[in-house]
Amino acid sequence: MVYALMYVRNVFSSAWDKLDYRASCLAIYNGALLGGDPISSNVFTLFSGFDDDESPINNYWQDGQLNLGTDNLKRAHFMRVTGLIQKDQQVKVSLVLDDGSAVAVFTISGSGTYVDQGINTPIGSYTIGSKVVGGGGNVSAHPFDVTFPIHTDIFKNISVRFQAFNIGHAEIDSYTYKDIRDKGRRSLPVKMV
């Protein structure tokens, strides 16, 4: 079994990215990052489009454990999420309570009624690089603002995980825990992250 793992450094931002695939070599050609296939004699344009050879890219983002402003036990009843999404994309929202397992609580759909299909927000081109590649091709997504029930069990710390699982753009701009109830207190203020 070959373990596919590679670290790539962005020379402009100095950030390191951990990638779950390998390349025998990397080069910039006409502003695009190319990677040599370590098994065959092929070259691929990296970071182009929203897929991996027409398959969704495995991904998720999870924040750190938050106490929502109090170390006491508490419950949260609603969550508000805003961002941008393309029509065919879906984002699974999961919660992790006190270092437990992630539990799905909602799916944000690009075709949901909370998505404003009348507004096209440009998000850039299909290929990430230093120049426009090929015909360029600008991509747009639609803003969404959704509030949904989460009705958690009692917890001390909470974490959220967002996972896009179709092909297309998804962007989370903000998320807010609402109706937080501290044990022994009536209600806590809203906690926006």
Side-chain angles (χ1 to χ4, degrees):
M1 179 175 121
V2 176
Y3 186 68
L5 181 65
M6 177 172 62
Y7 289 91
V8 177
R9 182 174 177 262
N10 182 324
V11 295
F12 298 110
S13 69
S14 298
W16 285 90
D17 290 316
K18 179 180 169 184
L19 307 175
D20 64 350
Y21 51 86
R22 294 185 327 169
S24 58
C25 61
L26 298 172
I28 296 175
Y29 180 73
N30 286 337
L33 182 61
L34 303 179
D37 187 342
I39 298 173
S40 67
S41 300
N42 292 322
V43 176
F44 295 98
T45 302
L46 304 180
F47 310 117
S48 61
F50 298 106
D51 59 21
D52 181 10
D53 285 337
E54 299 180 9
S55 296
I57 296 171
N58 189 19
N59 68 88
Y60 74 88
W61 178 86
Q62 183 172 327
D63 69 357
Q65 290 282 312
L66 303 173
N67 70 0
L68 303 184
T70 178
D71 289 328
N72 297 334
L73 294 175
K74 64 198 101 15
R75 291 178 193 246
H77 290 280
F78 292 93
M79 185 173 218
R80 177 182 178 211
V81 180
T82 65
L84 297 172
I85 193 166
Q86 288 184 312
K87 187 172 185 171
D88 295 331
Q89 184 58 276
Q90 293 184 325
V91 177
K92 180 170 66 171
V93 181
S94 302
L95 296 177
V96 178
L97 304 180
D98 297 325
D99 294 321
S101 298
V103 176
V105 293
F106 190 75
T107 300
I108 301 167
S109 172
S111 59
T113 58
Y114 42 82
V115 178
D116 191 343
Q117 301 288 347
I119 298 176
N120 290 322
T121 304
I123 56 173
S125 65
Y126 284 99
T127 302
I128 298 172
S130 61
K131 299 179 189 172
V132 174
V133 179
N138 285 331
V139 181
S140 62
H142 309 288
F144 70 88
D145 186 339
V146 61
T147 300
F148 50 90
I150 55 175
H151 303 301
T152 67
D153 290 334
I154 293 174
F155 64 90
K156 194 167 189 175
N157 296 304
I158 190 169
S159 180
V160 66
R161 176 184 290 187
F162 297 104
Q163 180 178 9
F165 54 91
N166 285 339
I167 296 173
H169 180 79
E171 171 184 325
I172 304 300
D173 292 332
S174 70
Y175 57 97
T176 307
Y177 296 98
K178 296 180 132 195
D179 195 9
I180 304 162
R181 299 193 184 177
D182 190 343
K183 189 173 183 179
R185 293 173 78 182
R186 185 160 190 185
S187 184
L188 286 177
V190 169
K191 180 65 176 178
M192 183 170 179
V193 182

